[in-house]
mmCIF file of all heavy atoms in Angstrom:
data_model
loop_
_atom_site.group_PDB
_atom_site.id
_atom_site.type_symbol
_atom_site.label_atom_id
_atom_site.label_comp_id
_atom_site.label_asym_id
_atom_site.label_seq_id
_atom_site.Cartn_x
_atom_site.Cartn_y
_atom_site.Cartn_z
ATOM 1 N N GLY A 190 41.803 9.659 -18.118
ATOM 2 C CA GLY A 190 41.698 10.763 -19.057
ATOM 3 C C GLY A 190 41.768 10.334 -20.502
ATOM 4 O O GLY A 190 42.301 11.059 -21.342
ATOM 5 N N MET A 191 41.216 9.159 -20.815
ATOM 6 C CA MET A 191 41.277 8.622 -22.174
ATOM 7 C C MET A 191 39.951 8.833 -22.893
ATOM 8 O O MET A 191 38.889 8.710 -22.296
ATOM 9 C CB MET A 191 41.601 7.124 -22.135
ATOM 10 C CG MET A 191 42.958 6.795 -21.548
ATOM 11 S SD MET A 191 43.087 5.049 -21.092
ATOM 12 C CE MET A 191 42.660 4.261 -22.661
ATOM 13 N N GLN A 192 40.025 9.134 -24.179
ATOM 14 C CA GLN A 192 38.804 9.238 -24.971
ATOM 15 C C GLN A 192 38.302 7.857 -25.381
ATOM 16 O O GLN A 192 37.108 7.586 -25.309
ATOM 17 C CB GLN A 192 39.052 10.088 -26.215
ATOM 18 C CG GLN A 192 39.378 11.543 -25.917
ATOM 19 C CD GLN A 192 39.447 12.377 -27.185
ATOM 20 O OE1 GLN A 192 38.803 12.073 -28.184
ATOM 21 N NE2 GLN A 192 40.246 13.428 -27.152
ATOM 22 N N THR A 193 39.210 7.006 -25.838
ATOM 23 C CA THR A 193 38.843 5.673 -26.310
ATOM 24 C C THR A 193 39.905 4.678 -25.874
ATOM 25 O O THR A 193 40.971 5.045 -25.374
ATOM 26 C CB THR A 193 38.718 5.621 -27.849
ATOM 27 O OG1 THR A 193 40.038 5.721 -28.416
ATOM 28 C CG2 THR A 193 37.847 6.747 -28.383
ATOM 29 N N LEU A 194 39.636 3.408 -26.127
ATOM 30 C CA LEU A 194 40.585 2.347 -25.800
ATOM 31 C C LEU A 194 41.745 2.287 -26.783
ATOM 32 O O LEU A 194 42.642 1.462 -26.624
ATOM 33 C CB LEU A 194 39.862 0.993 -25.767
ATOM 34 C CG LEU A 194 38.922 0.805 -24.576
ATOM 35 C CD1 LEU A 194 38.111 -0.469 -24.742
ATOM 36 C CD2 LEU A 194 39.714 0.770 -23.278
ATOM 37 N N ARG A 195 41.730 3.149 -27.788
ATOM 38 C CA ARG A 195 42.858 3.194 -28.713
ATOM 39 C C ARG A 195 44.069 3.888 -28.080
ATOM 40 O O ARG A 195 45.146 3.908 -28.663
ATOM 41 C CB ARG A 195 42.467 3.916 -30.004
ATOM 42 C CG ARG A 195 41.484 3.141 -30.871
ATOM 43 C CD ARG A 195 41.358 3.775 -32.243
ATOM 44 N NE ARG A 195 40.767 5.098 -32.172
ATOM 45 C CZ ARG A 195 39.459 5.335 -32.234
ATOM 46 N NH1 ARG A 195 38.619 4.315 -32.345
ATOM 47 N NH2 ARG A 195 38.983 6.564 -32.172
ATOM 48 N N ASP A 196 43.869 4.451 -26.898
ATOM 49 C CA ASP A 196 44.957 5.167 -26.221
ATOM 50 C C ASP A 196 45.199 4.589 -24.834
ATOM 51 O O ASP A 196 44.981 5.260 -23.832
ATOM 52 C CB ASP A 196 44.609 6.659 -26.081
ATOM 53 C CG ASP A 196 44.220 7.261 -27.415
ATOM 54 O OD1 ASP A 196 45.009 7.131 -28.360
ATOM 55 O OD2 ASP A 196 43.130 7.852 -27.497
ATOM 56 N N PRO A 197 45.654 3.335 -24.751
ATOM 57 C CA PRO A 197 45.876 2.743 -23.423
ATOM 58 C C PRO A 197 46.991 3.457 -22.685
ATOM 59 O O PRO A 197 47.901 4.005 -23.304
ATOM 60 C CB PRO A 197 46.264 1.288 -23.738
ATOM 61 C CG PRO A 197 46.810 1.335 -25.122
ATOM 62 C CD PRO A 197 46.035 2.408 -25.825
ATOM 63 N N PRO A 198 46.926 3.463 -21.349
ATOM 64 C CA PRO A 198 47.910 4.220 -20.573
ATOM 65 C C PRO A 198 49.259 3.534 -20.516
ATOM 66 O O PRO A 198 49.367 2.326 -20.661
ATOM 67 C CB PRO A 198 47.277 4.249 -19.173
ATOM 68 C CG PRO A 198 46.502 2.972 -19.112
ATOM 69 C CD PRO A 198 45.945 2.790 -20.507
ATOM 70 N N ASP A 199 50.299 4.318 -20.307
ATOM 71 C CA ASP A 199 51.622 3.766 -20.072
ATOM 72 C C ASP A 199 51.946 3.885 -18.588
ATOM 73 O O ASP A 199 51.114 4.299 -17.780
ATOM 74 C CB ASP A 199 52.668 4.464 -20.932
ATOM 75 C CG ASP A 199 52.653 5.974 -20.736
ATOM 76 O OD1 ASP A 199 52.066 6.433 -19.718
ATOM 77 O OD2 ASP A 199 53.212 6.691 -21.569
ATOM 78 N N ILE A 200 53.162 3.526 -18.231
ATOM 79 C CA ILE A 200 53.546 3.570 -16.831
ATOM 80 C C ILE A 200 53.387 4.979 -16.255
ATOM 81 O O ILE A 200 52.907 5.162 -15.139
ATOM 82 C CB ILE A 200 55.008 3.105 -16.664
ATOM 83 C CG1 ILE A 200 55.137 1.615 -17.026
ATOM 84 C CG2 ILE A 200 55.494 3.331 -15.235
ATOM 85 C CD1 ILE A 200 54.458 0.688 -16.058
ATOM 86 N N GLU A 201 53.795 6.001 -17.032
ATOM 87 C CA GLU A 201 53.713 7.364 -16.544
ATOM 88 C C GLU A 201 52.270 7.770 -16.252
ATOM 89 O O GLU A 201 51.998 8.491 -15.292
ATOM 90 C CB GLU A 201 54.337 8.335 -17.561
ATOM 91 C CG GLU A 201 55.855 8.277 -17.642
ATOM 92 C CD GLU A 201 56.364 7.020 -18.335
ATOM 93 O OE1 GLU A 201 55.574 6.388 -19.069
ATOM 94 O OE2 GLU A 201 57.529 6.660 -18.113
ATOM 95 N N ALA A 202 51.325 7.299 -17.088
ATOM 96 C CA ALA A 202 49.915 7.625 -16.858
ATOM 97 C C ALA A 202 49.425 7.004 -15.560
ATOM 98 O O ALA A 202 48.650 7.618 -14.818
ATOM 99 C CB ALA A 202 49.064 7.140 -18.032
ATOM 100 N N LEU A 203 49.865 5.790 -15.285
ATOM 101 C CA LEU A 203 49.494 5.148 -14.020
ATOM 102 C C LEU A 203 50.026 5.958 -12.837
ATOM 103 O O LEU A 203 49.324 6.158 -11.846
ATOM 104 C CB LEU A 203 50.061 3.725 -13.968
ATOM 105 C CG LEU A 203 49.344 2.675 -14.817
ATOM 106 C CD1 LEU A 203 50.196 1.413 -14.909
ATOM 107 C CD2 LEU A 203 47.979 2.352 -14.249
ATOM 108 N N GLU A 204 51.256 6.428 -12.949
ATOM 109 C CA GLU A 204 51.834 7.200 -11.858
ATOM 110 C C GLU A 204 51.131 8.543 -11.689
ATOM 111 O O GLU A 204 50.838 8.974 -10.574
ATOM 112 C CB GLU A 204 53.325 7.407 -12.110
ATOM 113 C CG GLU A 204 54.132 6.121 -11.993
ATOM 114 C CD GLU A 204 55.613 6.326 -12.294
ATOM 115 O OE1 GLU A 204 55.920 7.162 -13.174
ATOM 116 O OE2 GLU A 204 56.432 5.676 -11.648
ATOM 117 N N ASP A 205 50.820 9.209 -12.812
ATOM 118 C CA ASP A 205 50.139 10.504 -12.746
ATOM 119 C C ASP A 205 48.765 10.371 -12.116
ATOM 120 O O ASP A 205 48.290 11.275 -11.428
ATOM 121 C CB ASP A 205 49.995 11.117 -14.146
ATOM 122 C CG ASP A 205 51.326 11.623 -14.692
ATOM 123 O OD1 ASP A 205 52.263 11.777 -13.884
ATOM 124 O OD2 ASP A 205 51.419 11.840 -15.910
ATOM 125 N N ALA A 206 48.100 9.229 -12.366
ATOM 126 C CA ALA A 206 46.771 9.001 -11.792
ATOM 127 C C ALA A 206 46.846 8.559 -10.341
ATOM 128 O O ALA A 206 45.825 8.389 -9.694
ATOM 129 C CB ALA A 206 46.024 7.946 -12.616
ATOM 130 N N GLY A 207 48.058 8.368 -9.824
ATOM 131 C CA GLY A 207 48.213 7.953 -8.444
ATOM 132 C C GLY A 207 47.937 6.493 -8.206
ATOM 133 O O GLY A 207 47.713 6.058 -7.078
#
Side-chain angles (χ1 to χ4, degrees):
M191 297 164 55
Q192 295 187 28
T193 71
L194 289 172
R195 290 191 295 271
D196 307 306
D199 55 17
I200 294 292
E201 287 73 20
L203 285 167
E204 291 178 325
D205 288 344

